[in-house]
């Protein structure tokens, strides 16, 4: 019976050492990435390393809770030999971290209580927690649970559903004002809402502001004036306005005006 328990203890310790070695390698690899590859380390890679560490810790906890694993709390480690000389076998087992098993190292490695600094911090945290009343603590717990539940719902919600909801919101969102569109169509098609243009006020002949008030000379008047000046320069007949008919030009001059306009107009095409 005792031999079977000893073999079971040795097997569980070996399995535990193997799991802890895998966890240690993962931690070393992650620390190396953080120290040397921090400039090109992406957030998904960091999450993958955290997931690996979390899975290995869960595996160790399952191994410790297994029914076949003996309770390590019932096992006591007692140093049988203390020496100041270097122990190569001990250094090899501890990866050169503990080369000597002396009276200075034993209290640190066989300690069953945390370090004094850690113990002091734990006492301070316990005192701070005790000062909080049960009602305040319950409210804080409910608030934290609500935040965690909301975060879990968002994380568990599939990405496709979120994309579909965003697409539906974009489709249902109005991109124009129907009232403005109807007013624009009515103004363009039927002239609704447009102010009427008032006719220019009559101006006395010879008034200096006549050209500006009446909108200035038209293109036909400028063409006629240019053609008349050209004909006067080459010895052509200049049309004289008939009395009583201001602004009326004889038909014989119109033909000459067209030819002159076609040859002398600066914007001829």
């Amino acid at each position: 019976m005792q031999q079977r328990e000893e073999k079971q203890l040795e097997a569980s310790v070996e399995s535990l050492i193997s799991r802890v070695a895998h966890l240690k390698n993962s931690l070393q690899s992650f620390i190396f990435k953080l120290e040397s590859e921090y400039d090109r380390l992406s957030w998904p890679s960091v999450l993958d390393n955290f997931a690996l560490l979390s899975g290995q810790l869960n595996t160790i906890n399952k191994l410790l809770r297994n029914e076949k694993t003996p309770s390590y709390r019932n096992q006591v480690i007692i140093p049988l030999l203390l020496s100041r000389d270097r122990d190569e076998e001990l250094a090899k087992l501890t990866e050169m971290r503990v080369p000597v098993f002396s009276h200075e190292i034993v209290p640190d490695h066989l300690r069953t209580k945390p370090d004094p600094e850690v113990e002091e911090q734990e006492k301070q945290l316990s005192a701070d927690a005790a000062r909080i009343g049960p009602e305040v603590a319950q409210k804080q717990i409910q608030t934290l649970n609500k935040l965690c539940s909301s975060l879990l719902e968002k994380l568990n919600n599939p990405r496709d559903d979120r994309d579909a909801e965003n697409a539906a919101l974009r489709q249902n969102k109005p991109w124009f004002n129907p009232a403005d569109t109807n007013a624009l169509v009515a103004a363009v098609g039927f002239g609704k809402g447009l102010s009427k243009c008032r006719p220019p006020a009559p101006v006395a002949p010879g008034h200096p502001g006549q050209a500006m008030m009446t909108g200035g000379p038209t293109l036909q008047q400028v063409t006629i004036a240019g053609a008349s000046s050209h004909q006067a320069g080459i010895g052509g007949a200049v049309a004289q306005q008939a009395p009583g008919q201001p602004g009326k030009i004889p038909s014989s001059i119109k033909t000459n005006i067209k030819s002159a306009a076609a040859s002398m107009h600066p914007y001829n095409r």
Side-chain angles (χ1 to χ4, degrees):
M1 183 70 178
Q2 186 176 0
Q3 292 180 354
R4 187 179 66 181
E5 291 179 355
E6 290 179 356
K7 291 182 179 180
Q8 189 175 3
L9 179 61
E10 291 178 0
S12 62
V13 170
E14 291 178 358
S15 177
L16 183 60
I17 291 174
S18 175
R19 302 292 183 183
V20 172
H22 289 303
L23 178 61
K24 184 192 68 174
N25 293 333
S26 300
L27 282 172
Q28 289 178 349
S29 176
F30 185 41
I31 292 173
F32 176 78
K33 289 181 179 179
L34 291 176
E35 292 179 350
S36 61
E37 301 178 1
Y38 62 90
D39 53 344
R40 58 180 182 273
L41 191 63
S42 61
W43 182 243
S45 177
V46 174
L47 293 180
D48 292 339
N49 284 273
F50 274 119
L52 178 61
L53 296 175
S54 178
Q56 291 175 346
L57 288 173
N58 290 331
T59 303
I60 294 175
N61 289 330
K62 289 180 181 178
L63 179 63
L64 294 175
R65 295 193 190 99
N66 194 359
E67 296 178 355
K68 297 181 180 181
T69 302
S71 178
Y72 293 106
R73 293 181 179 180
N74 299 330
Q75 308 297 327
V76 180
I77 299 177
I78 300 175
L80 301 178
L81 179 62
L82 299 179
S83 175
R84 296 183 180 181
D85 299 333
R86 182 182 177 87
D87 189 351
E88 297 296 336
E89 186 66 21
L90 180 63
K92 183 179 178 181
L93 291 174
T94 58
E95 297 180 355
M96 308 304 295
R97 289 193 299 270
V98 186
V100 179
F101 202 64
S102 62
H103 65 282
E104 296 178 358
I105 295 177
V106 167
D108 294 333
H109 287 80
L110 300 184
R111 161 189 310 275
T112 57
K113 295 178 64 177
D115 293 338
E117 296 179 358
V118 178
E119 190 174 2
E120 186 66 25
Q121 291 179 359
E122 186 177 357
K123 289 181 180 179
Q124 185 176 358
L125 292 175
S126 300
D128 294 340
R131 283 196 292 268
I132 300 177
E135 296 180 358
V136 178
Q138 189 65 27
K139 290 181 179 179
Q140 294 180 355
I141 291 173
Q142 292 177 358
T143 304
L144 181 61
N145 291 335
K146 186 182 295 184
L147 292 175
C148 293
S149 301
S150 177
L151 182 60
L152 287 174
E153 289 179 0
K154 292 181 179 179
L155 293 176
N156 294 329
N157 188 17
R159 185 175 181 180
D160 297 337
D161 296 344
R162 293 196 298 268
D163 294 342
E165 291 178 359
N166 293 334
L169 289 176
R170 287 195 297 269
Q171 291 179 359
N172 296 331
K173 185 177 179 180
W175 296 97
F176 62 94
N177 190 349
D180 294 343
T181 303
N182 295 332
L184 181 61
V185 172
V188 173
F190 307 102
K192 183 178 179 180
L194 300 179
S195 60
K196 296 182 180 180
C197 297
R198 297 180 179 179
V203 181
H207 195 274
Q210 181 179 2
M212 182 175 62
M213 295 298 292
T214 57
T218 61
L219 180 59
Q220 184 179 5
Q221 293 174 353
V222 173
T223 305
I224 293 172
S228 301
S229 300
H230 175 67
Q231 290 183 355
I234 61 176
V238 179
Q240 298 294 333
Q241 293 183 357
Q245 295 180 353
K248 185 177 181 181
I249 300 174
S251 60
S252 61
I253 303 302
K254 290 183 180 179
T255 305
N256 298 330
I257 288 173
K258 290 183 180 180
S259 61
S263 60
M264 295 300 295
H265 199 279
Y267 297 101
N268 183 25
R269 296 183 181 179

